[in-house]
Amino acid sequence: MENYAAIGIDAGGTNIKAGLVDAQGNLLSVQVVPTRKEQGSEQVLALIGEMIASLCASSARKVLGVSVALPGGVDDQAGKCLYCPNLGWKELPVREILTALTGLSVRLVNDANAACLGEYFYGKGRQARAFLSITLGTGIGSALVLQNQLYTGPFGAGVEAGHMVVEPAGALCNCGRRGCWETIVSASGIVRRAKEKMHKELSAKEVFQLAREGDPQAQAIVEETIFYLAIGLANLINLFSPEEIRIGGGVAQAEELFSKELYARVEENVYPTLKGKVKIEQSSLGYYSGIIGASTLWFHDINII
Ligand SMILES: [Zn+2]
């Protein structure tokens, strides 16, 4: 595989990241551009096609194919996006369009699943028998690998940990229910709580920064985030008993989330036989985990069940 590379694309609502990745998960070259989703899917796919062509032109290696990670439901076998509200895409034949533009084979994967595969194959703690990955971004992504099989389930929904209810009387979620984990612990959940409690428009990053500077209200929001992060993690541990959980995404860049309080609260809430067993760590691939994870489809045999 030494002379080969694959192209991973992470098409998010804000940016499109594209990279050339080798079989060891090394990022050889990368491009990031704004998505400009308001221009419509045709323009966005044309832009992705240009990024692919430019990465191919710069590659000294043979490119095996392209994997596109999308923020929503995909059908890899049919080569279609099913529903990606953050891009404004409904059913769309992404593979057909990109293959016509680039002449390359194209695979599709959900972005949370891509991040999970990246951590599973190339992260620090490799290939646990049961491995759970959580992405704390605008929403919450989650994915599960069991015995080298990525679990997507019979309906393609996989593990939607972000929509586990942790506060029945909580805020309204995009899914129409109340108190989903995502309404509290995601970046948008932190922004919403800052608005309610501090009466300010702050980003999640700004809330963490203010907490570090000693702002008591921001500190209370961070404490509440840790509290609910722990409740959700403990629920997931009780359900899946994973050996390892990796947490990535923008919110997880805040080191203080991985505090003693988090681990103590998780321990308090896990089933007795699971206490002290599960490793919970910050994602090791960071910002490009989606690109690197998507590319694994060209280098590793992974059963998607
Ligand atoms: Zn929900």
Side-chain angles (χ1 to χ4, degrees), residues 5-11 17-19 21 48 52 63-70 76 94 98 104-110 114 117 290-299:
I7 291 176
I9 309 279
D10 187 354
K17 302 170 212 162
V21 185
I48 292 175
I52 294 169
V63 175
L64 291 171
V66 179
S67 303
V68 184
L70 292 172
D76 180 38
V94 173
L98 286 180
L104 290 168
S105 300
V106 174
R107 293 196 62 178
L108 302 179
V109 60
N110 164 271
L117 292 176
I291 298 180
I292 296 168
S295 74
T296 61
L297 295 177
W298 293 98
F299 297 118

Side-chain angles (χ1 to χ4, degrees), residues 106-296:
V106 174
R107 293 196 62 178
L108 302 179
V109 60
N110 164 271
D111 59 354
N113 288 344
C116 181
L117 292 176
E119 288 294 331
Y120 178 69
F121 285 113
Y122 303 127
K124 277 184 283 183
R126 289 189 178 192
Q127 301 185 16
R129 277 172 301 170
F131 178 87
L132 191 64
S133 144
I134 307 288
T135 309
L136 303 177
T138 311
I140 293 183
S142 54
L144 176 70
V145 174
L146 287 172
Q147 314 271 26
N148 208 41
Q149 304 193 99
L150 176 72
Y151 180 75
T152 59
F155 313 112
V159 179
E160 283 289 357
H163 298 283
M164 143 177 75
V165 173
V166 292
E167 187 58 78
L172 194 63
C173 181
N174 287 333
C175 74
R177 296 147 72 235
R178 285 195 176 273
C180 294
W181 202 27
E182 178 168 303
T183 64
I184 303 175
V185 177
S186 67
S188 53
I190 294 171
V191 168
R192 176 187 59 78
R193 287 183 291 129
K195 206 168 167 183
E196 282 171 11
K197 293 182 178 133
M198 300 169 75
H199 310 289
K200 279 186 207 159
E201 295 279 351
L202 295 166
S203 68
K205 207 174 171 181
E206 287 166 336
V207 172
F208 282 110
Q209 188 52 42
L210 284 170
R212 275 172 218 136
E213 289 164 8
D215 183 301
Q217 286 172 311
Q219 283 173 341
I221 291 171
V222 171
E223 276 167 31
E224 192 178 54
T225 307
I226 291 171
F227 176 87
Y228 283 101
L229 178 61
I231 298 289
L233 290 173
N235 287 344
L236 292 168
I237 291 169
N238 292 339
L239 278 172
F240 299 115
S241 50
E243 285 169 279
E244 189 168 341
I245 301 179
R246 278 299 164 103
I247 307 176
V251 173
Q253 301 308 306
E255 300 280 344
E256 52 269 62
L257 281 188
F258 301 87
S259 62
K260 274 190 202 140
E261 288 73 29
L262 176 78
Y263 293 103
R265 179 74 64 184
V266 170
E267 281 301 285
E268 240 174 72
N269 286 286
V270 296
Y271 190 68
T273 55
L274 296 170
K275 285 189 194 298
K277 297 265 168 61
V278 185
K279 200 156 94 182
I280 300 171
E281 283 191 13
Q282 197 175 23
S283 141
S284 53
L285 298 183
Y287 188 66
Y288 296 115
S289 63
I291 298 180
I292 296 168
S295 74
T296 61

Side-chain angles (χ1 to χ4, degrees), residues 82-105:
L82 299 177
Y83 180 54
C84 292
N86 286 343
L87 291 171
W89 296 2
K90 290 187 177 156
E91 200 171 306
L92 194 67
V94 173
R95 183 173 65 205
E96 193 186 313
I97 297 169
L98 286 180
T99 298
L101 287 171
T102 64
L104 290 168
S105 300

